[in-house]
Amino acid sequence: MLAVTGWFALVLLLHLLLPGQLACGVQLPNRQRLTYKLNAFSVFAITYGTAAAVSFGLGVLDLSWIPRNFVPLTTAAIIFSSVLAVAVYAASFLPNRLLSQHGNSGIFVYDFWMGRELNPRAFGKTLDIKEFCELYPGMIGWGLLNLAFAYQQYKQLGYVTNAMLLVNGFELWYIADGLLNEAAILTTMDITTDGFGFMLAFGDLAWVPFTFCTQARYLTDYPRQLSLPALLGVLAVQALGYCIFRGANSQKNAFRTNPGHPSVAHLKSMPTERGTRLIISGWWGAARHINYLGDWLMGLAWCLPCGLSGLASVVPYFYCIYFAALLVHRERRDEAACRAKYGADWGRYCALVPWRIIPYVY
């Protein structure tokens, strides 16, 4: 418990002390825009870089302690996230709190799960708890867990296999890219619509870091060295997924921030009664949630280095199976929220962009 609490405190301290860009979020239901301090990549560079340097570089830090204590650390993360969820739920009953539309039903279990307060803040409202938990301790912690499993393999074999390098490299790329493009998260459903409750607290601080490292954990017990054709095939899947994912999300964020920006000014869009516009060309003209396709393809590329040679080898594919179900469920939630938000305009939009996630398939 001390290690998990200490990690959270360290990342929080770095976030508060390091300089960062200030960015405004989207307009909230109360017509206000919150300001966010963005320095996730700086925090990541310091923590991950230091851990890599003093373990693989200097041999001073024995990161294999983390794999050896994986279950206790997971348990502590679950307890910590649960306590945090209770705290923000209790704080949501204080005056002048903006409540989430989806977490204010009056049903305790549902509201506790979904999150009653939309944007809980602390330290004089300088810290946005939801945005911080979404990207900082869990995402960076996921990268450190992968690094620890690579270090454990290095101690066992005397080298790190190319399969382990691919898993660490792909997921580290995903993490670094998300942190470097931190501003893009401010327009996502997690930030703009969902409250911060047990679902996000547990998901951000326990589920993401301790399940998304499954491939690296598997490869410490079942090390694999990929052939050149297999390696190139996995790289191709990763590249395609990243191209779709980052291209779509960057395009959406740029359009929402400044529709006249040269990178998105050419896109076709349709007006809505709310006064906003929906993109009907480019990435978002191919499918209404095309970014989910890219996200899933990258997840598949993370699993492929583990191979498929027996019942045990199915375990690392849990991520892409689970993620497919999650994305379909999220897409359905998004559709319901957008239909309620845009009314008849959403029906017109669906007629112009008929595919949900996979063009010409689904």
Side-chain angles (χ1 to χ4, degrees):
M1 194 69 196
L2 183 62
V4 169
T5 305
W7 167 248
F8 187 91
L10 171 63
V11 175
L12 175 59
L13 187 65
L14 288 172
H15 172 60
L16 294 175
L17 295 181
L18 291 174
Q21 174 192 354
L22 296 180
C24 287
V26 300
Q27 183 172 290
L28 299 174
N30 61 1
R31 299 190 178 279
Q32 293 182 354
R33 291 177 182 266
L34 296 177
T35 300
Y36 297 83
K37 181 182 181 181
L38 311 180
N39 60 5
F41 189 80
S42 298
V43 175
F44 160 73
I46 290 173
T47 53
Y48 187 92
T50 301
V54 298
S55 58
F56 279 97
L58 301 177
V60 175
L61 179 64
D62 183 10
L63 287 178
S64 64
W65 178 88
I66 295 174
R68 293 198 305 269
N69 292 275
F70 185 80
V71 173
L73 288 171
T74 304
T75 304
I78 294 171
I79 294 171
F80 185 92
S81 60
S82 300
V83 171
L84 179 61
V86 170
V88 294
Y89 179 80
S92 71
F93 290 93
L94 295 173
N96 301 318
R97 302 291 172 133
L98 178 61
L99 303 183
S100 165
Q101 180 182 352
H102 302 296
N104 189 28
S105 68
I107 303 171
F108 166 72
V109 174
Y110 181 79
D111 292 349
F112 179 72
W113 173 267
M114 294 299 296
R116 193 166 181 272
E117 187 173 356
L118 183 60
N119 301 103
R121 294 205 154 198
F123 300 107
K125 297 188 177 182
T126 58
L127 171 69
D128 189 283
I129 298 173
K130 181 168 63 172
E131 196 272 341
F132 173 76
C133 289
E134 188 88 3
L135 285 181
Y136 289 74
M139 286 282 283
I140 300 172
W142 168 23
L144 286 177
L145 284 168
N146 280 349
L147 182 69
F149 284 116
Y151 187 79
Q152 184 183 40
Q153 187 186 76
Y154 175 74
K155 289 190 67 177
Q156 292 172 346
L157 303 179
Y159 65 96
V160 179
T161 65
N162 60 9
M164 179 67 87
L165 288 173
L166 279 183
V167 167
N168 266 262
F170 287 163
E171 297 182 10
L172 188 65
W173 183 2
Y174 182 89
I175 293 166
D177 180 74
L179 302 180
L180 192 60
N181 293 279
E182 184 178 4
I185 199 176
L186 303 183
T187 60
T188 63
M189 186 176 180
D190 283 357
I191 300 298
T192 64
T193 306
D194 290 338
F196 186 72
F198 181 80
M199 179 179 72
L200 286 182
F202 169 77
D204 294 341
L205 304 177
W207 181 261
V208 166
F210 289 96
T211 62
F212 286 17
C213 67
T214 300
Q215 295 80 31
R217 189 183 180 198
Y218 174 86
L219 288 171
T220 60
D221 295 326
Y222 303 93
R224 296 185 78 246
Q225 192 74 10
L226 300 179
S227 66
L228 181 60
L231 188 145
L232 293 176
V234 174
L235 285 171
V237 174
Q238 168 70 17
L240 176 62
Y242 179 79
C243 179
I244 297 171
F245 176 78
R246 180 47 57 201
N249 281 339
S250 296
Q251 191 176 79
K252 178 184 69 172
N253 185 62
F255 186 84
R256 286 185 174 180
T257 305
N258 180 12
H261 191 276
S263 64
V264 293
H266 65 284
L267 294 175
K268 296 179 181 178
S269 62
M270 59 165 277
T272 66
E273 291 184 2
R274 300 182 79 252
T276 56
R277 304 187 71 88
L278 296 172
I279 306 172
I280 57 173
S281 67
W283 287 112
W284 300 95
R288 300 195 293 273
H289 306 278
I290 189 69
N291 56 325
Y292 290 175
L293 174 61
D295 213 354
W296 186 82
L297 285 172
M298 285 191 293
L300 176 63
W302 304 345
C303 302
L304 289 174
C306 298
L308 194 60
S309 57
L311 186 60
S313 64
V314 175
V315 173
Y317 287 85
F318 163 78
Y319 174 78
C320 64
I321 296 169
Y322 142 79
F323 199 40
L326 175 72
L327 291 176
V328 169
H329 176 261
R330 174 169 285 193
E331 176 265 322
R332 295 289 174 162
R333 282 183 61 213
D334 288 352
E335 289 284 319
C338 289
R339 196 168 295 279
K341 181 177 179 180
Y342 293 105
D345 288 328
W346 190 251
R348 293 195 301 116
Y349 171 68
C350 291
L352 293 170
V353 185
W355 304 107
R356 294 173 179 264
I357 298 176
I358 308 174
Y360 304 103
V361 176
Y362 172 74

